[in-house]
């Protein structure tokens, strides 16, 4: 879940070890089809830990049935060979080549309001399918993160990192969720750029008043910029999963595998709760605990970002080359710069592409945005450490400014927002504000409740408290969800469910994965350290 706020506005490419882990789990699914083929002991990278035979100390509840080291963990009957003319079905559905892709796209007309389809209003959701290249064993549906990412723009890159046996034996499905990319193209880059570069401090009454005004201004500006306000009440995940159910029926697929990453785990759990009988298996990667309220999740996420930043800076101190380049304790360098910026922005000269420089400023808010946007992979963390080392060594803020512009998808020459077709802030808020009841009371009461929920965080969290306020615009969002009740924990009775998480995941904290795993009837926890 790439929650808005001080997090990047688009998914960053995962590290090689992350891709190996995901591919290894996909291989577990495939080998489950063939009991004669044992799971190779080297399927998982050295830092990945397969689930233990009983619950770990972190989740000491009831024991579950677990796989032995040499036998596939999942039942074979759900993945029996399934001969089907997928290409023929796609042709009947009016399939056409997805833009710059090996996938075949299908435009699916669905009710705007699945709870009241009789009103006749509809919207179009675009699904992409890559038919299995060999003996078909089933369908594998992927839900990307966000909310607000384009699954179709990620599809070919993701599949290229899978073990070749996966596209050989599974029809693979990606899609643009309603409102995203080919399924609506809702965007508000101008409003988002202004919002993300504003100050999100809430330590004093004056700062709280300013933050509320900033959040309300963004909510109104984003809605105006994206247009189509009539769709906003129907953008929540409960509506979106019914779009997938319509497509499943069109494919005439009784059961399929569902894989969700980050926000996609919210989507996958919501689908499973509604249509468990149509799933052969579930994979939750970077898991969100849906039983948490919005503020509770944001609290955990802010603390996870602080944890991962500290681990990143500590790792620099422990690496000879990084420590030498930094020239000082890395955490002290960061904290000293943050303290200076909290007194006011620092001015620096930014080099222009045609020569000359332009006087610019970097604020405390900018530093937290840049830092949080570069904690998602080894490559990103390396780039941020180099930028921080440049400041420590030479006092230059230019590399840090470049990380800021990249994290917010701004033109580094003009600082103007660039529309990113792979991600939509507008859809992020349209979904979040329907999924979480931030405005279950009057606007004034809801706003004060949100602010007060962060009081303890401001007091005891040294960094990234600002992340907590990322969903504050939902208090002012039109047609918000009013029922504050959260979903029950997913048991997924009888459904093989794999839960994947890294212990240092900043956006979807490991504690969420542990909580979701604890409730599952047939769960398997796969942990990556770091």
């Amino acid at each position: 879940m790439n929650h808005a706020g001080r997090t990047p506005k688009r998914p960053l490419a995962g590290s090689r070890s992350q891709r190996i882990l995901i591919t290894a789990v996909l291989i577990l699914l495939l080998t489950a089809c063939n009991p004669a083929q044992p799971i190779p002991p080297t399927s998982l990278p050295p830092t990945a830990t397969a689930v233990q035979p009983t619950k770990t100390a972190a989740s000491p509840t009831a024991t579950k049935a677990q796989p032995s080291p040499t036998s596939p963990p999942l039942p074979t009957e759900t993945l029996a060979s399934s001969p089907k003319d997928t290409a023929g079905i796609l042709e009947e559905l009016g399939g056409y080549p997805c833009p710059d892709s090996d996938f075949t796209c299908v435009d699916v007309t669905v009710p705007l309001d699945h709870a009241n389809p009789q009103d006749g209003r509809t919207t179009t959701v675009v699904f992409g399918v890559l038919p299995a290249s060999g003996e078909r064993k089933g369908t594998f549906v992927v839900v990307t993160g966000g909310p607000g990412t384009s699954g179709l723009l990620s599809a070919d890159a993701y599949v290229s990192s899978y073990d070749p046996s996966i596209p050989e034996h599974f029809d693979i499905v990606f899609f643009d969720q309603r409102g995203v990319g080919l399924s609506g193209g809702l965007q508000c880059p101008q409003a988002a750029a202004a919002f993300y570069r504003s100050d999100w401090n809430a330590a004093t009454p004056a700062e709280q008043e300013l933050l509320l005004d900033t959040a309300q201004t963004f909510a109104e500006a984003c809605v105006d910029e994206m247009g189509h306000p009539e769709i906003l009440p129907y953008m929540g995940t409960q509506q979106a999963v019914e779009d997938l159910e319509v497509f499943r029926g069109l494919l005439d697929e009784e059961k399929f595998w569902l894989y969700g990453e980050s926000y996609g785990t919210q989507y996958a759990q919501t689908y499973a709760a509604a249509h468990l009988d149509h799933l052969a298996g579930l994979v939750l990667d970077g898991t969100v605990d849906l039983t948490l309220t919005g503020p509770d999740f944001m609290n955990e996420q802010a603390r996870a970002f602080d944890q991962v930043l500290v681990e990143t800076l500590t790792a620099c101190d422990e690496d000879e080359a990084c420590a030498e380049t930094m020239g000082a304790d890395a955490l002290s360098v960061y904290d000293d710069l943050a303290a200076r910026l909290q007194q006011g922005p620092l001015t620096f000269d930014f080099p222009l592409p045609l020569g000359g420089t332009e006087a610019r400023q970097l604020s405390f808010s900018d530093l937290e945005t840049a830092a949080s946007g570069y904690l998602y992979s080894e490559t990103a963390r390396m780039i941020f450490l180099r930028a921080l080392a440049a400041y420590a060594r030479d006092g230059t803020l230019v590399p840090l400014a470049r990380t800021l512009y990249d994290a917010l998808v701004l033109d580094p020459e003009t600082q103007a927002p660039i529309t990113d077709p792979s991600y939509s802030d507008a859809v992020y808020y349209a979904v979040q504000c329907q999924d979480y009841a931030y405005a279950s009371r009057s606007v004034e009461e809801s706003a004060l409740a949100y602010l007060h929920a962060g009081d303890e965080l401001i007091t005891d969290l040294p960094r990234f408290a600002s992340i907590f306020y990322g969903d504050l615009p939902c208090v002012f969002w039109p047609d918000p969800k009013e029922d504050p009740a959260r979903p029950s924990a997913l048991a997924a009775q009888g459904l093989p469910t794999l839960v994947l998480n890294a212990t240092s995941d900043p956006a979807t904290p490991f504690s969420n994965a542990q909580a979701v795993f604890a409730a599952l009837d047939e769960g398997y926890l796969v942990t990556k350290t770091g």
Side-chain angles (χ1 to χ4, degrees):
M1 176 182 197
N2 289 342
H3 259 293
R6 306 308 183 190
T7 55
K9 302 302 168 280
R10 63 196 188 285
L12 299 176
S15 67
R16 180 175 180 273
S17 59
Q18 289 170 322
R19 293 195 300 272
I20 291 172
L21 176 58
I22 293 170
T23 296
V25 173
L26 292 174
I27 292 174
L28 296 184
L29 306 184
L30 184 60
T31 53
C33 307
N34 183 2
Q37 180 183 357
I39 299 173
T42 57
S43 290
L44 298 178
T47 52
T49 305
V51 66
Q52 300 302 309
T54 60
K55 291 281 190 165
T56 63
S59 48
T61 52
T63 302
K64 299 179 185 179
Q66 302 295 343
S68 69
T70 58
S71 63
L74 308 180
T76 60
E77 62 271 19
T78 58
L79 287 176
S81 181
S82 177
K84 179 196 256 185
D85 181 15
T86 302
I89 292 176
L90 296 176
E91 185 177 359
E92 291 178 3
L93 294 175
Y96 58 92
C98 293
D100 302 315
S101 172
D102 291 333
F103 280 68
T104 297
C105 276
V106 176
D107 296 344
V108 180
T109 300
V110 297
L112 183 62
D113 182 5
H114 285 280
N116 184 28
Q118 295 81 9
D119 74 1
R121 293 178 297 169
T122 62
T123 189
T124 299
V125 178
V126 182
F127 290 82
V129 182
L130 184 68
S133 60
E135 181 188 12
R136 181 181 179 279
K137 295 183 180 295
T139 296
F140 186 74
V141 178
V142 179
V143 191
T144 54
T149 57
S150 167
L152 293 176
L153 286 181
S154 303
D156 293 86
Y158 276 44
V159 172
S160 70
S161 69
Y162 294 168
D163 186 271
S165 56
I166 305 302
E168 179 183 359
H169 295 295
F170 287 88
D171 295 338
I172 299 178
V173 177
F174 282 75
F175 60 95
D176 282 353
Q177 191 166 324
R178 53 171 58 193
V180 176
L182 296 181
S183 299
L186 301 180
Q187 292 276 5
C188 66
Q190 300 290 338
F195 180 52
Y196 296 135
R197 296 206 66 182
S198 63
D199 289 327
W200 292 9
N201 301 317
T204 68
E207 289 175 341
Q208 291 178 355
E209 190 67 29
L210 179 59
L211 180 57
L212 289 175
D213 182 65
T214 300
Q216 182 174 5
T217 297
F218 165 71
E220 294 171 353
C222 183
V223 170
D224 287 345
E225 189 177 344
M226 74 168 123
H228 304 286
E230 72 282 354
I231 198 175
L232 294 182
Y234 312 106
M235 288 292 290
T237 303
Q238 285 189 331
Q239 293 279 358
V241 299
E242 297 306 321
D243 299 339
L244 176 58
E245 175 62 7
V246 169
F247 188 58
R248 181 204 62 79
L250 293 174
L251 288 181
D252 192 25
E253 187 76 318
E254 181 62 25
K255 292 179 181 288
F256 65 91
W257 284 89
L258 183 58
Y259 169 97
E261 63 167 11
S262 196
Y263 160 74
T265 69
Q266 296 176 218
Y267 186 110
Q269 291 174 78
T270 303
Y271 182 92
H275 302 289
L276 187 67
D277 55 331
H278 289 310
L279 289 178
L282 191 63
V283 184
L284 306 175
D285 182 4
T287 310
V288 175
D289 179 4
L290 290 184
T291 68
L292 295 176
T293 66
D296 285 344
F297 178 85
M298 298 299 276
N299 187 310
E300 290 195 16
Q301 189 183 65
R303 295 180 188 279
F305 269 95
D306 178 65
Q307 169 201 336
V308 176
L309 176 64
V310 171
E311 290 178 357
T312 299
L313 297 173
T314 302
C316 179
D317 294 335
E318 296 171 351
D319 180 272
E320 182 178 353
C322 187
E324 181 180 356
T325 303
M326 190 70 66
D329 174 74
L331 184 59
S332 296
V333 172
Y334 180 90
D335 284 345
D336 289 347
L337 175 58
R340 289 187 63 186
L341 292 172
Q342 285 178 310
Q343 302 303 311
L346 294 177
T347 301
F348 64 98
D349 292 328
F350 187 83
L352 299 174
L354 296 181
T357 62
E358 179 179 80
R360 295 188 180 177
Q361 290 189 326
L362 190 81
S363 69
F364 173 70
S365 170
D366 291 336
L367 175 64
E368 291 211 326
T369 299
S372 62
Y374 272 72
L375 292 180
Y376 279 72
S377 70
E378 285 102 333
T379 299
R381 291 189 291 271
M382 182 241 344
I383 292 171
F384 179 75
L385 286 172
R386 288 185 174 182
L388 186 64
Y391 166 76
R393 185 179 61 251
D394 303 322
T396 178
L397 294 172
V398 171
L400 283 171
R402 292 193 185 280
T403 64
L404 170 71
Y405 303 149
D406 179 63
L408 293 182
V409 199
L410 303 178
D411 185 323
E413 180 179 3
T414 65
Q415 300 184 75
I418 302 171
T419 300
D420 180 0
S422 71
Y423 178 79
S424 169
D425 295 287
V427 173
Y428 171 88
Y429 282 100
V431 175
Q432 284 297 106
C433 300
Q434 284 295 323
D435 282 7
Y436 291 89
Y438 286 114
S440 57
R441 291 168 278 185
S442 70
V443 171
E444 182 178 352
E445 290 175 325
S446 297
L448 291 176
Y450 195 126
L451 290 177
H452 290 325
D455 287 345
E456 181 181 348
L457 194 73
I458 293 175
T459 302
D460 64 16
L461 189 67
R463 303 160 204 90
F464 294 132
S466 60
I467 284 177
F468 177 80
Y469 302 102
D471 279 2
L472 185 58
C474 286
V475 171
F476 306 100
W477 202 258
D479 301 302
K481 178 182 178 181
E482 297 180 354
D483 182 4
R486 298 303 303 152
S488 300
L490 179 69
Q493 195 75 26
L495 183 72
T497 302
L498 289 160
V499 181
L500 285 64
N501 233 89
T503 58
S504 297
D505 184 334
T508 50
F510 183 53
S511 57
N512 278 228
Q514 291 174 306
V516 171
F517 169 64
L520 292 169
D521 173 61
E522 192 177 338
Y524 304 87
L525 180 64
V526 182
T527 299
K528 185 179 186 304
T529 302

